[in-house]
């Protein structure tokens, strides 16, 4: 028997805080919902991807989705989760970022999802309108009690500007505008946005005398490291292939530890319970073959980058194990022989200097195709079918795929 929307959300681990007294309310008539995404960067990350997968769960059950890119709120800065004031982005930078975020969201959420930008309704709002029609409905007492504001204005806090202090009001008005314009009655968000999200619920109750709701998903934590999922040694893992190349993206999933693999399959794929149970069973029969990781990597890469790129990433990974030659991947670096390893490491930004590269070589921290090396230069025999993976340390994120240019 198929799961209801509320059952699937709970089973996949998407339910954290909610204003619903009974979440099964959403099963009878899936509500129109919106989910806001920050425009301070020019790409979503795999941390954002977890939120997108929650959106897709609603869409599969017939809900109308509104993907909001914060063209206005990103100009102000969200104080949530920050100990100090964010550096303001220029209007041109935020505008370019929003365009890229919208493109990614449109791809991931599908053609039926509507993309909106809160700059469209804030651009022409004057300060008197904002203070009378929005600010009048918020109590300073309630605002300063919100965790993310209280932390900043406490004895050990760095303080908060009026701009960031007002962020919660801006987000509240987003909900009111979408409610009045499109009939949106649910905001989806990450758990770090719980306080901001309640602003919209209160504002709509005061202005429209209507009840709307919020549902947040928990922060996805790497089960092995205990840190926020999606952080690598080089920083965030991006959905934009120019920031995180497809092969590197694919291999990040391949290299996940076994711990938590079933949870990752629930969050980052749309496999059914029976299908995930079968994957986990097959994985546990022979963990060394990493069936769970390979399934996860293939499906996530296919979702984000398309079937052809996923197939290429699979082929490239197999090629590195000695299988057939494939086309060069997006993160390939062409070199000619003879080449000193220290020179290649500097050129590939695996080390900041030749002296650092020599130190890494001498300490056994440099790998050629997963084998530690201390030799000075590369030779043709190091390449498999014309390719070679040069890596610093144990993480695939700190590596580059080299192609022998004859």
């Amino acid at each position: 028997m198929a799961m209801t929307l509320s059952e699937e959300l709970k089973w996949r681990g998407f339910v954290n805080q909610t204003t619903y007294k009974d979440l099964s309310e959403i099963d009878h008539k899936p509500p129109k919902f919106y989910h806001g995404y920050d425009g301070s960067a020019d790409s979503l990350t795999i941390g954002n991807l977890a939120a997108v997968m929650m959106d897709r769960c609603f869409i599969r059950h017939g809900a109308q989705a509104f993907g909001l890119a914060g063209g206005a709120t990103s100009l102000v800065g969200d104080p949530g989760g920050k100990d100090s004031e964010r550096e303001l982005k220029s209007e041109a930078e935020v505008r370019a970022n929003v365009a890229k975020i919208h493109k990614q969201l449109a791809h991931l959420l599908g053609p039926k999802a509507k993309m909106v930008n809160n700059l469209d309704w804030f651009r022409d709002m004057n300060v008197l309108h904002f203070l009378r029609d929005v600010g009048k409905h918020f109590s300073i007492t309630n605002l300063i009690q919100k965790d993310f504001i209280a932390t900043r204005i406490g004895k050990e806090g760095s303080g908060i500007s009026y701009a960031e202090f007002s962020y919660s009001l801006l987000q509240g008005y987003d909900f009111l505008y979408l409610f009045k314009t499109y009939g949106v009655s649910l905001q989806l968000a990450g758990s770090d946005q719980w306080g901001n999200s309640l602003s919209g619920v209160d504002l709509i109750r005061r202005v429209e005398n209507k009840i709307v709701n919020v549902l947040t998903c928990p922060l996805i934590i790497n089960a092995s490291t205990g840190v926020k999922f999606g952080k690598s040694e080089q920083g965030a893992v991006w959905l934009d292939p120019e920031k995180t190349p497809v092969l590197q993206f694919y291999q990040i999933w391949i290299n996940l530890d076994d711990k938590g693999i079933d949870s990752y399959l629930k969050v980052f794929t749309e496999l059914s319970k029976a299908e995930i149970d079968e994957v986990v069973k097959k994985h546990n029969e022979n963990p060394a073959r990493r069936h769970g990781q390979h399934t996860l990597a293939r499906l996530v890469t296919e979702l984000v980058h398309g079937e052809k790129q996923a197939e290429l990433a699979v082929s490239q990974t197999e090629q590195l194990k000695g299988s057939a030659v494939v086309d060069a991947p997006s993160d390939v670096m062409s070199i000619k022989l003879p080449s000193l390893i220290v020179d290649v490491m500097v050129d590939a930004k695996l080390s900041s200097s030749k002296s650092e590269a020599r130190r890494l070589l001498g300490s056994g921290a440099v790998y050629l195709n997963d084998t530690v090396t201390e030799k000075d230069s590369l030779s043709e025999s190091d390449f498999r079918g014309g390719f070679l993976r040069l890596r610093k340390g144990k993480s695939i994120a700190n590596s580059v795929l080299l192609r022998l240019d004859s």
Side-chain angles (χ1 to χ4, degrees):
M1 184 176 178
M3 292 184 187
T4 64
L5 173 55
S6 63
E7 289 172 340
E8 184 173 355
L9 289 169
K10 292 175 182 176
W11 172 70
R12 291 193 183 275
F14 287 138
V15 178
N16 190 36
Q17 309 119 309
T18 184
T19 54
Y20 284 110
K21 293 181 179 178
D22 183 353
L23 191 59
S24 65
E25 290 179 39
I26 64 177
D27 296 334
H28 309 299
K29 184 180 179 182
K32 291 183 179 180
F33 73 89
Y34 91 95
H35 200 149
Y37 292 87
D38 190 32
S40 61
D42 61 358
S43 174
L44 300 174
T45 68
I46 62 174
N48 299 129
L49 183 60
V52 169
M53 297 307 290
M54 177 171 67
D55 298 345
R56 287 174 62 95
C57 188
F58 272 85
I59 293 170
R60 287 198 305 277
H61 286 267
Q64 171 67 51
F66 291 78
L68 184 149
T73 41
S74 297
L75 290 171
V76 173
D78 179 4
K82 296 293 181 182
D83 296 328
S84 59
E85 201 82 5
R86 290 175 185 254
E87 182 180 346
L88 292 178
K89 304 286 185 179
S90 70
E91 290 188 33
E93 186 177 3
V94 170
R95 184 165 54 251
N97 290 349
V98 165
K100 291 182 178 180
I101 297 299
H102 266 171
K103 185 176 180 179
Q104 289 180 336
L105 285 175
H107 167 70
L108 292 168
L109 298 181
K112 292 184 179 180
K114 182 174 179 61
M115 298 299 111
V116 293
N117 179 354
N118 58 16
L119 185 61
D120 291 341
W121 50 87
F122 280 119
R123 181 185 289 111
D124 297 325
M125 181 183 288
N126 62 47
V127 67
L128 290 177
H129 178 190
F130 179 75
L131 292 175
R132 288 178 60 87
D133 297 346
V134 182
K136 186 68 175 177
H137 298 288
F138 286 86
S139 165
I140 291 294
T141 303
N142 292 336
L143 286 172
I144 63 176
Q145 290 174 348
K146 292 181 182 293
D147 289 343
F148 57 90
I149 292 178
T151 300
R152 292 273 291 275
I153 64 177
K155 181 179 292 186
E156 303 299 326
S158 62
I160 187 170
S161 68
Y162 182 74
E164 287 199 0
F165 182 80
S166 301
Y167 184 93
S168 190
L169 280 67
L170 297 176
Q171 192 175 115
Y173 186 79
D174 285 344
F175 202 168
L176 175 62
Y177 179 88
L178 293 172
F179 173 80
K180 293 171 68 175
T181 307
Y182 300 109
V184 171
S185 61
L186 172 64
Q187 178 182 357
L188 302 184
S191 58
D192 60 331
Q193 290 295 313
W194 174 247
N196 285 331
S197 300
L198 292 178
S199 296
V201 174
D202 292 340
L203 184 59
I204 291 171
R205 176 178 55 81
R206 292 173 183 275
V207 175
E208 298 292 321
N209 196 30
K210 298 291 185 180
I211 295 175
V212 294
N213 290 285
V214 171
L215 172 64
T216 69
C217 61
L219 186 68
I220 306 301
I221 300 297
N222 187 305
S224 297
T225 65
V227 300
K228 184 177 179 180
F229 192 86
K231 293 291 186 181
S232 72
E233 292 180 18
Q234 294 179 325
V237 180
W238 304 94
L239 304 193
D240 184 343
E242 293 186 5
K243 296 169 77 73
T244 300
V246 178
L247 180 59
Q248 181 181 325
F249 180 89
Y250 175 85
Q251 294 196 349
I252 282 167
W253 299 93
I254 287 288
N255 283 279
L256 289 172
D257 289 338
D258 290 343
K259 188 176 182 181
I261 196 69
D262 55 339
S263 297
Y264 302 148
L265 287 164
K266 291 177 184 178
V267 171
F268 292 104
T269 80
E270 294 177 342
L271 295 176
S272 68
K273 184 179 185 303
E275 289 170 327
I276 290 177
D277 288 344
E278 181 61 29
V279 171
V280 173
K281 178 184 176 183
K282 187 173 180 180
H283 175 88
N284 290 336
E285 288 172 354
N286 189 351
R289 297 189 64 182
R290 306 180 71 77
H291 177 68
Q293 287 90 337
H294 282 277
T295 302
L296 179 66
R298 172 60 186 260
L299 291 175
V300 178
T301 305
E302 187 173 306
L303 172 68
V304 175
H305 297 296
E307 185 176 359
K308 184 175 291 186
Q309 286 295 316
E311 290 177 354
L312 187 57
V314 172
S315 298
Q316 290 160 0
T317 299
E318 289 301 313
Q319 180 272 327
L320 290 174
K321 298 176 182 178
S323 61
V325 179
V326 296
D327 294 334
S330 55
D331 68 340
V332 72
M333 175 177 166
S334 296
I335 67 166
K336 290 186 176 182
L337 298 179
S339 288
L340 294 175
I341 291 178
V342 293
D343 291 337
V344 177
M345 290 183 69
V346 172
D347 291 342
K349 295 181 171 56
L350 294 180
S351 65
S352 58
S353 65
K354 292 183 180 180
S355 59
E356 182 193 16
R358 292 190 191 97
R359 179 182 58 78
L360 292 168
L361 272 170
S363 63
V366 177
Y367 295 74
L368 301 182
N369 290 332
D370 297 325
T371 301
V372 174
T373 185
E374 294 184 7
K375 67 180 188 175
D376 295 327
S377 59
L378 298 174
S379 61
E380 190 169 351
S381 62
D382 294 321
F383 290 78
R384 298 173 180 172
F387 289 89
L388 165 66
R389 173 64 66 177
L390 175 64
R391 191 174 85 236
K392 176 185 73 174
K394 296 183 178 181
S395 173
I396 191 69
N398 292 321
S399 69
V400 63
L401 190 63
L402 305 176
R403 179 179 60 187
L404 186 57
D405 191 357
S406 56

